Short mmCIF file of all heavy atoms in Angstrom, two decimals:
data_model
loop_
_atom_site.label_atom_id
_atom_site.label_comp_id
_atom_site.label_asym_id
_atom_site.label_seq_id
_atom_site.Cartn_x
_atom_site.Cartn_y
_atom_site.Cartn_z
N GLY R 110 0.79 -1.22 0.00
CA GLY R 110 0.00 0.00 0.00
C GLY R 110 0.82 1.27 0.00
O GLY R 110 2.06 1.24 0.07
N PRO R 111 0.15 2.41 -0.04
CA PRO R 111 0.82 3.71 -0.07
C PRO R 111 1.16 4.20 1.33
O PRO R 111 0.86 3.52 2.32
CB PRO R 111 -0.24 4.61 -0.71
CG PRO R 111 -1.53 4.04 -0.16
CD PRO R 111 -1.32 2.54 -0.10
N GLU R 112 1.77 5.37 1.41
CA GLU R 112 1.97 5.99 2.71
C GLU R 112 0.59 6.28 3.29
O GLU R 112 -0.29 6.79 2.62
CB GLU R 112 2.76 7.30 2.55
CG GLU R 112 4.16 7.08 2.01
CD GLU R 112 4.86 8.38 1.67
OE1 GLU R 112 4.22 9.44 1.75
OE2 GLU R 112 6.04 8.32 1.29
N GLY R 113 0.37 5.89 4.53
CA GLY R 113 -0.96 5.99 5.12
C GLY R 113 -1.71 4.68 5.09
O GLY R 113 -2.72 4.51 5.77
N GLY R 114 -1.20 3.72 4.30
CA GLY R 114 -1.77 2.38 4.31
C GLY R 114 -3.00 2.22 3.44
O GLY R 114 -3.51 3.15 2.84
N TRP R 115 -3.49 0.98 3.40
CA TRP R 115 -4.71 0.65 2.67
C TRP R 115 -5.93 1.16 3.41
O TRP R 115 -5.93 1.25 4.64
CB TRP R 115 -4.86 -0.86 2.51
CG TRP R 115 -3.75 -1.58 1.83
CD1 TRP R 115 -2.80 -2.37 2.41
CD2 TRP R 115 -3.48 -1.62 0.43
NE1 TRP R 115 -1.97 -2.88 1.47
CE2 TRP R 115 -2.36 -2.45 0.23
CE3 TRP R 115 -4.09 -1.05 -0.69
CZ2 TRP R 115 -1.82 -2.72 -1.02
CZ3 TRP R 115 -3.55 -1.30 -1.95
CH2 TRP R 115 -2.45 -2.13 -2.11
N THR R 116 -6.98 1.44 2.69
CA THR R 116 -8.27 1.68 3.35
C THR R 116 -8.88 0.34 3.71
O THR R 116 -8.50 -0.70 3.17
CB THR R 116 -9.22 2.45 2.42
OG1 THR R 116 -9.53 1.62 1.28
CG2 THR R 116 -8.61 3.76 1.96
N GLY R 117 -9.87 0.37 4.63
CA GLY R 117 -10.56 -0.87 4.99
C GLY R 117 -11.22 -1.51 3.79
O GLY R 117 -11.22 -2.75 3.64
N GLU R 118 -11.77 -0.70 2.90
CA GLU R 118 -12.44 -1.23 1.70
C GLU R 118 -11.44 -1.95 0.79
O GLU R 118 -11.76 -3.01 0.23
CB GLU R 118 -13.11 -0.09 0.94
CG GLU R 118 -13.86 -0.56 -0.31
CD GLU R 118 -14.50 0.59 -1.07
OE1 GLU R 118 -14.34 1.76 -0.65
OE2 GLU R 118 -15.15 0.33 -2.09
N GLU R 119 -10.24 -1.39 0.65
CA GLU R 119 -9.23 -2.03 -0.20
C GLU R 119 -8.80 -3.38 0.38
O GLU R 119 -8.62 -4.36 -0.36
CB GLU R 119 -8.02 -1.11 -0.37
CG GLU R 119 -8.30 0.08 -1.28
CD GLU R 119 -7.19 1.12 -1.27
OE1 GLU R 119 -6.49 1.24 -0.22
OE2 GLU R 119 -7.04 1.83 -2.27
N VAL R 120 -8.65 -3.45 1.71
CA VAL R 120 -8.29 -4.73 2.33
C VAL R 120 -9.39 -5.75 2.10
O VAL R 120 -9.13 -6.92 1.76
CB VAL R 120 -8.02 -4.54 3.83
CG1 VAL R 120 -7.80 -5.90 4.50
CG2 VAL R 120 -6.81 -3.64 4.06
N GLU R 121 -10.63 -5.34 2.27
CA GLU R 121 -11.76 -6.26 2.05
C GLU R 121 -11.81 -6.76 0.62
O GLU R 121 -12.10 -7.94 0.36
CB GLU R 121 -13.07 -5.56 2.41
CG GLU R 121 -13.23 -5.29 3.91
CD GLU R 121 -14.45 -4.45 4.22
OE1 GLU R 121 -15.24 -4.18 3.28
OE2 GLU R 121 -14.63 -4.06 5.39
N LEU R 122 -11.53 -5.88 -0.35
CA LEU R 122 -11.51 -6.30 -1.76
C LEU R 122 -10.41 -7.32 -2.00
O LEU R 122 -10.62 -8.32 -2.70
CB LEU R 122 -11.29 -5.08 -2.65
CG LEU R 122 -12.49 -4.18 -2.90
CD1 LEU R 122 -12.05 -2.90 -3.60
CD2 LEU R 122 -13.54 -4.92 -3.74
N ALA R 123 -9.23 -7.07 -1.43
CA ALA R 123 -8.13 -8.01 -1.61
C ALA R 123 -8.47 -9.38 -1.05
O ALA R 123 -8.25 -10.41 -1.71
CB ALA R 123 -6.86 -7.46 -0.95
N VAL R 124 -9.02 -9.40 0.16
CA VAL R 124 -9.39 -10.66 0.78
C VAL R 124 -10.49 -11.35 -0.03
O VAL R 124 -10.48 -12.58 -0.21
CB VAL R 124 -9.85 -10.42 2.24
CG1 VAL R 124 -10.43 -11.70 2.84
CG2 VAL R 124 -8.67 -9.91 3.08
N LYS R 125 -11.42 -10.58 -0.55
CA LYS R 125 -12.48 -11.13 -1.39
C LYS R 125 -11.91 -11.89 -2.59
O LYS R 125 -12.45 -12.93 -3.00
CB LYS R 125 -13.39 -9.99 -1.88
CG LYS R 125 -14.43 -10.41 -2.91
CD LYS R 125 -15.20 -9.20 -3.41
CE LYS R 125 -16.16 -9.57 -4.54
NZ LYS R 125 -16.87 -8.37 -5.07
N PHE R 126 -10.81 -11.39 -3.14
CA PHE R 126 -10.20 -12.02 -4.31
C PHE R 126 -9.08 -12.98 -3.93
O PHE R 126 -8.24 -13.33 -4.77
CB PHE R 126 -9.70 -10.96 -5.29
CG PHE R 126 -10.80 -10.18 -5.94
CD1 PHE R 126 -10.88 -8.80 -5.78
CD2 PHE R 126 -11.77 -10.81 -6.70
CE1 PHE R 126 -11.90 -8.07 -6.38
CE2 PHE R 126 -12.80 -10.09 -7.30
CZ PHE R 126 -12.87 -8.73 -7.14
N GLY R 127 -9.05 -13.41 -2.67
CA GLY R 127 -8.16 -14.48 -2.27
C GLY R 127 -6.80 -14.06 -1.72
O GLY R 127 -5.97 -14.92 -1.43
N PHE R 128 -6.55 -12.78 -1.57
CA PHE R 128 -5.27 -12.34 -1.02
C PHE R 128 -5.23 -12.60 0.48
O PHE R 128 -6.25 -12.50 1.17
CB PHE R 128 -5.05 -10.85 -1.30
CG PHE R 128 -4.53 -10.56 -2.67
CD1 PHE R 128 -5.34 -10.74 -3.79
CD2 PHE R 128 -3.23 -10.10 -2.87
CE1 PHE R 128 -4.87 -10.47 -5.07
CE2 PHE R 128 -2.76 -9.83 -4.14
CZ PHE R 128 -3.57 -10.02 -5.25
N ARG R 129 -4.05 -12.91 0.98
CA ARG R 129 -3.85 -13.16 2.41
C ARG R 129 -3.23 -11.90 3.04
O ARG R 129 -2.17 -11.45 2.61
CB ARG R 129 -2.92 -14.36 2.61
CG ARG R 129 -3.40 -15.61 1.88
CD ARG R 129 -2.40 -16.73 2.00
NE ARG R 129 -2.79 -17.87 1.18
CZ ARG R 129 -2.49 -19.14 1.45
NH1 ARG R 129 -1.77 -19.42 2.53
NH2 ARG R 129 -2.87 -20.11 0.66
N GLU R 130 -3.90 -11.37 4.03
CA GLU R 130 -3.41 -10.19 4.71
C GLU R 130 -2.24 -10.58 5.62
O GLU R 130 -2.33 -11.53 6.39
CB GLU R 130 -4.53 -9.55 5.53
CG GLU R 130 -4.19 -8.22 6.12
CD GLU R 130 -5.36 -7.62 6.91
OE1 GLU R 130 -6.43 -8.27 6.99
OE2 GLU R 130 -5.18 -6.52 7.47
N ALA R 131 -1.13 -9.84 5.52
CA ALA R 131 0.06 -10.21 6.27
C ALA R 131 0.79 -8.97 6.77
O ALA R 131 0.70 -7.89 6.19
CB ALA R 131 1.00 -11.04 5.40
N SER R 132 1.53 -9.16 7.86
CA SER R 132 2.27 -8.07 8.49
C SER R 132 3.76 -8.39 8.51
O SER R 132 4.15 -9.56 8.65
CB SER R 132 1.78 -7.87 9.93
OG SER R 132 2.66 -7.03 10.65
N LEU R 133 4.59 -7.36 8.40
CA LEU R 133 6.03 -7.52 8.52
C LEU R 133 6.52 -7.20 9.94
O LEU R 133 7.72 -7.11 10.18
CB LEU R 133 6.76 -6.61 7.52
CG LEU R 133 6.73 -7.06 6.06
CD1 LEU R 133 7.37 -6.00 5.17
CD2 LEU R 133 7.44 -8.39 5.88
N GLY R 134 5.59 -7.02 10.86
CA GLY R 134 5.96 -6.73 12.23
C GLY R 134 5.38 -5.42 12.72
O GLY R 134 4.66 -4.74 12.00
N ARG R 135 5.70 -5.05 13.93
CA ARG R 135 5.11 -3.87 14.55
C ARG R 135 5.77 -2.57 14.14
O ARG R 135 5.21 -1.49 14.33
CB ARG R 135 5.14 -4.02 16.07
CG ARG R 135 4.28 -5.19 16.58
CD ARG R 135 4.27 -5.25 18.09
NE ARG R 135 3.46 -6.37 18.57
CZ ARG R 135 3.25 -6.65 19.84
NH1 ARG R 135 3.82 -5.89 20.79
NH2 ARG R 135 2.50 -7.67 20.20
N LEU R 136 6.97 -2.64 13.60
CA LEU R 136 7.64 -1.42 13.15
C LEU R 136 6.98 -0.94 11.86
O LEU R 136 6.59 -1.73 11.01
CB LEU R 136 9.12 -1.69 12.91
CG LEU R 136 9.95 -2.08 14.14
CD1 LEU R 136 11.38 -2.38 13.73
CD2 LEU R 136 9.93 -0.97 15.19
N ILE R 137 6.88 0.36 11.70
CA ILE R 137 6.32 0.94 10.49
C ILE R 137 7.45 1.17 9.50
O ILE R 137 8.36 1.98 9.75
CB ILE R 137 5.59 2.28 10.78
CG1 ILE R 137 4.51 2.06 11.84
CG2 ILE R 137 4.99 2.84 9.51
CD1 ILE R 137 3.44 1.07 11.44
N LEU R 138 7.41 0.46 8.39
CA LEU R 138 8.47 0.52 7.39
C LEU R 138 8.10 1.47 6.27
O LEU R 138 6.94 1.60 5.90
CB LEU R 138 8.73 -0.87 6.82
CG LEU R 138 9.06 -1.99 7.81
CD1 LEU R 138 9.27 -3.30 7.06
CD2 LEU R 138 10.29 -1.64 8.64
N ARG R 139 9.12 2.08 5.68
CA ARG R 139 8.90 2.82 4.45
C ARG R 139 8.52 1.84 3.34
O ARG R 139 8.86 0.65 3.40
CB ARG R 139 10.18 3.58 4.05
CG ARG R 139 10.55 4.73 4.98
CD ARG R 139 11.80 5.42 4.47
NE ARG R 139 12.22 6.51 5.35
CZ ARG R 139 11.76 7.74 5.26
NH1 ARG R 139 10.87 8.05 4.33
NH2 ARG R 139 12.18 8.68 6.09
N THR R 140 7.83 2.35 2.34
CA THR R 140 7.36 1.48 1.27
C THR R 140 8.51 0.71 0.63
O THR R 140 8.42 -0.51 0.43
CB THR R 140 6.65 2.32 0.18
OG1 THR R 140 5.53 2.97 0.76
CG2 THR R 140 6.18 1.44 -0.97
N GLU R 141 9.60 1.39 0.31
CA GLU R 141 10.70 0.72 -0.38
C GLU R 141 11.36 -0.34 0.51
O GLU R 141 11.82 -1.38 0.02
CB GLU R 141 11.73 1.74 -0.87
CG GLU R 141 12.44 2.56 0.20
CD GLU R 141 11.73 3.85 0.55
OE1 GLU R 141 10.47 3.89 0.48
OE2 GLU R 141 12.42 4.83 0.91
N THR R 142 11.39 -0.11 1.82
CA THR R 142 11.93 -1.12 2.74
C THR R 142 11.03 -2.34 2.78
O THR R 142 11.50 -3.49 2.77
CB THR R 142 12.08 -0.53 4.16
OG1 THR R 142 12.82 0.67 4.10
CG2 THR R 142 12.77 -1.51 5.08
N ALA R 143 9.72 -2.10 2.81
CA ALA R 143 8.76 -3.20 2.83
C ALA R 143 8.86 -4.05 1.56
O ALA R 143 8.72 -5.28 1.60
CB ALA R 143 7.34 -2.65 2.98
N VAL R 144 9.08 -3.40 0.43
CA VAL R 144 9.21 -4.13 -0.84
C VAL R 144 10.36 -5.13 -0.76
O VAL R 144 10.21 -6.32 -1.09
CB VAL R 144 9.43 -3.14 -2.02
CG1 VAL R 144 9.89 -3.90 -3.26
CG2 VAL R 144 8.15 -2.39 -2.31
N VAL R 145 11.52 -4.67 -0.32
CA VAL R 145 12.69 -5.53 -0.26
C VAL R 145 12.49 -6.66 0.75
O VAL R 145 12.76 -7.84 0.46
CB VAL R 145 13.95 -4.71 0.08
CG1 VAL R 145 15.14 -5.63 0.34
CG2 VAL R 145 14.27 -3.74 -1.05
N ALA R 146 12.00 -6.32 1.94
CA ALA R 146 11.83 -7.34 2.98
C ALA R 146 10.81 -8.39 2.57
O ALA R 146 11.04 -9.60 2.75
CB ALA R 146 11.38 -6.66 4.28
N ALA R 147 9.69 -7.97 2.00
CA ALA R 147 8.64 -8.91 1.63
C ALA R 147 9.05 -9.79 0.45
O ALA R 147 8.80 -11.00 0.44
CB ALA R 147 7.35 -8.16 1.32
N LEU R 148 9.68 -9.20 -0.56
CA LEU R 148 10.09 -9.99 -1.71
C LEU R 148 11.17 -11.01 -1.33
O LEU R 148 11.17 -12.13 -1.82
CB LEU R 148 10.60 -9.08 -2.83
CG LEU R 148 9.53 -8.34 -3.63
CD1 LEU R 148 10.18 -7.37 -4.62
CD2 LEU R 148 8.62 -9.32 -4.38
N ALA R 149 12.08 -10.61 -0.45
CA ALA R 149 13.09 -11.55 0.00
C ALA R 149 12.44 -12.72 0.76
O ALA R 149 12.84 -13.88 0.59
CB ALA R 149 14.11 -10.84 0.88
N SER R 150 11.43 -12.42 1.57
CA SER R 150 10.73 -13.47 2.31
C SER R 150 9.98 -14.40 1.37
O SER R 150 10.01 -15.63 1.53
CB SER R 150 9.75 -12.84 3.30
OG SER R 150 10.43 -12.05 4.25
N LEU R 151 9.31 -13.83 0.37
CA LEU R 151 8.59 -14.65 -0.61
C LEU R 151 9.55 -15.54 -1.39
O LEU R 151 9.27 -16.71 -1.63
CB LEU R 151 7.80 -13.76 -1.56
CG LEU R 151 6.48 -13.21 -1.08
CD1 LEU R 151 5.90 -12.24 -2.10
CD2 LEU R 151 5.48 -14.33 -0.82
N SER R 152 10.67 -14.96 -1.79
CA SER R 152 11.64 -15.74 -2.55
C SER R 152 12.17 -16.91 -1.73
O SER R 152 12.30 -18.04 -2.23
CB SER R 152 12.80 -14.84 -2.98
OG SER R 152 13.77 -15.57 -3.69
#
């Protein structure tokens, strides 16, 4: 998501289409940091 995060409606739409909601932890990461951390985890 963007700075400020997803709206509740966007999360509901994602879940509706089968996406799994996931967190990288309690720290608030910049978007670019989240991209690297999440892609490395997926890989």
